[in-house]
Amino acid sequence: MRVPPLGRSRERGRVGAGDAPAGGGTLSAPASAPAPASRDQYRPPLHPGAWWLWALALGTAATRTTNPLLLALLVAVSAYVVIARRPHAPWARSYGAFVKLALAVLVIRLLFTTVLGSPVPGTHTLVTLPEVPLPDWAQGIRLGGRVTAEGLTFALYDAMTLATLLICVGAANALANPSRLLKSLPGALYEMGVAVVVALTFAPNLIADVQRLRAARRLRGRPDNGVRGLLQVGLPVLEGALERSVALAAAMDARGYGRTAQVPAPVRRTTAALTLGGLLGVCAGTYGLLTAAGGTYGIPVLLAGVAAALAGLWLGGRRSVRTRYRPDRWDARAWLVTASGVAVAALMFLAAARDPAALHPGVVPLVAPVLPLWPAAAVLVGLLPAFVTPAPAPLSVPASLSVPAPVKEPS
């Protein structure tokens, strides 16, 4: 008897997606079959530094205005980009936490203005609280008294600026992968980046150990709350963390971690001077940008500080002997994303110089804010990343959890 080949027998016993069953009916493809991936899924992800530059530029634009309509538009732009391009990862859920923190800032600022008063004079009294008399050395501070609409409006405008800045930072945290961002750090910050990556990697393990030990103690009928339970759970968790740290140190030492190149002493001193001076220049320039009196020297000092810090980091990277596995490339999309944020910040600076009344609505007398047209159009430029960056990859459902499609019965 002749036995057919194994491959041919398998082909005869298998029904493909385009084959018809024996009864003449049609058979649909199983739901667990992978769907054809779009072209965007094969494109490399955007450089995380581009997301941070875009978000920080939007936050810088928010510091140039107290108009609540423009600030709300900045929040809407960042929220739309986050919703459209946020990946399906646990660290991408931090945007909601930053939004809650921004709302808490608004509530606390209004509460302080209500209880401690406001330096802004007002004529529209909303409520009068009982005032507590204070000694002479506490002049300028009061507890209670009149709460005016002008004071609350000024506090609301001021708090919305800080809240918008926090939301923009939250957008950067939700869009940029922290591990990939730390991997892209310059060579001078290599040790710090590795330490942060290790901490981010081991933090979920510590939480999992605590939950596992507490569940084990509950199953044995032992308390897992209180000081006694905390001590009896914390000691095994600490022991496991030390074991993982020793194992990681041994693995890193075996792979040659910590090797540095021989750098001359003048280069080391120049590196330290440039880095320290650059960071001080960045702090001074940022302070100048955030204050009205430092608008003339803020930008030059900030640019000089950034240039000095970058030069110091470049020189400091010469002592690090290492290579990068699959480094993130700064492509045209990263330039477009960064340019969109910088354009929003630059146009807001220009609008603040030409028409400061539109970007800073008055509160004495109390007037309704008006949305200026061309600054609002400038803010909409920040929506560009939602259209030039690839869409996040969809969540993959395991085949064991997928529900097969119904099979049509033959007629």
Side-chain angles (χ1 to χ4, degrees):
M1 182 178 62
R2 183 180 179 184
V3 180
L6 182 60
R8 188 175 301 174
S9 63
R10 287 181 177 175
E11 291 178 0
R12 291 177 180 176
R14 182 177 59 193
V15 179
D19 300 331
T26 59
L27 181 64
S28 60
S32 60
S38 62
R39 187 173 298 177
D40 284 342
Q41 297 179 11
Y42 296 102
R43 300 171 65 184
L46 189 70
H47 196 285
W51 285 124
W52 271 98
L53 292 176
W54 169 80
L56 292 178
L58 292 186
T60 304
T63 61
R64 294 292 90 190
T65 178
T66 56
N67 192 320
L69 301 180
L70 288 176
L71 294 174
L73 189 59
L74 282 169
V75 172
V77 166
S78 66
Y80 181 82
V81 176
V82 168
I83 293 173
R85 292 297 180 261
R86 178 172 57 180
H88 303 286
W91 47 265
R93 303 172 186 171
S94 61
Y95 186 74
F98 278 89
V99 172
K100 294 178 182 178
L101 179 61
L103 294 177
V105 167
L106 289 176
V107 174
I108 293 174
R109 183 70 172 85
L110 293 177
L111 182 61
F112 279 3
T113 302
T114 302
V115 176
L116 302 178
S118 175
V120 177
T123 57
H124 299 80
T125 304
L126 299 179
V127 65
T128 302
L129 300 177
E131 188 170 356
V132 179
L134 297 177
D136 297 336
W137 54 266
Q139 293 293 332
I141 303 174
R142 67 175 179 85
L143 294 176
R146 293 191 314 122
V147 180
T148 62
E150 290 82 358
L152 287 180
T153 304
F154 176 79
L156 178 63
Y157 290 173
D158 193 21
M160 283 188 67
T161 302
L162 180 57
T164 305
L165 181 59
L166 289 174
I167 291 176
C168 292
V169 174
N173 280 274
L175 292 169
N177 190 336
S179 299
R180 290 178 51 235
L181 178 64
L182 292 171
K183 187 180 70 173
S184 303
L185 288 176
L189 304 177
Y190 173 60
E191 289 83 1
M192 184 188 71
V194 172
V196 176
V197 168
V198 171
L200 292 176
T201 305
F202 278 0
N205 295 332
L206 293 177
I207 298 175
D209 288 347
V210 172
Q211 294 176 351
R212 177 175 54 83
L213 291 171
R214 292 185 63 184
R217 290 185 62 83
R218 286 195 297 265
L219 290 175
R220 296 186 179 96
R222 298 177 182 177
D224 60 330
N225 296 322
V227 179
R228 181 180 177 184
L230 179 62
L231 292 177
Q232 295 183 358
V233 170
L235 290 178
V237 170
L238 181 60
E239 181 182 358
L242 290 176
E243 291 178 356
R244 281 193 296 267
S245 300
V246 171
L248 178 64
M252 295 173 69
D253 183 68
R255 288 166 174 81
Y257 173 77
R259 295 178 302 171
T260 56
Q262 295 294 332
V263 179
V267 176
R268 291 199 302 268
R269 298 190 189 97
T270 305
T271 301
L274 286 175
T275 305
L276 182 59
L279 293 179
L280 292 176
V282 169
C283 294
T286 304
Y287 176 78
L289 290 178
L290 296 178
T291 58
T296 56
Y297 69 86
I299 295 180
V301 173
L302 179 61
L303 293 178
V306 169
L310 290 178
L313 293 177
W314 178 75
L315 287 176
R318 298 174 59 182
R319 62 183 295 269
S320 177
V321 183
R322 68 188 182 99
T323 58
R324 292 180 180 177
Y325 178 68
R326 292 181 180 179
D328 293 319
R329 300 186 180 277
W330 192 277
D331 52 5
R333 295 173 301 157
W335 284 112
L336 287 175
V337 171
T338 305
S340 65
V342 173
V344 173
L347 291 175
M348 290 296 290
F349 271 92
L350 182 61
R354 289 191 173 184
D355 192 6
L359 270 65
H360 300 277
V363 294
V364 180
L366 191 61
V367 294
V370 179
L371 181 65
L373 293 181
W374 75 269
V379 173
L380 295 179
V381 178
L383 292 173
L384 184 63
F387 304 100
V388 300
T389 57
L395 287 174
S396 59
V397 181
S400 59
L401 301 178
S402 60
V403 180
V407 179
K408 296 182 180 180
E409 297 293 337
S411 56

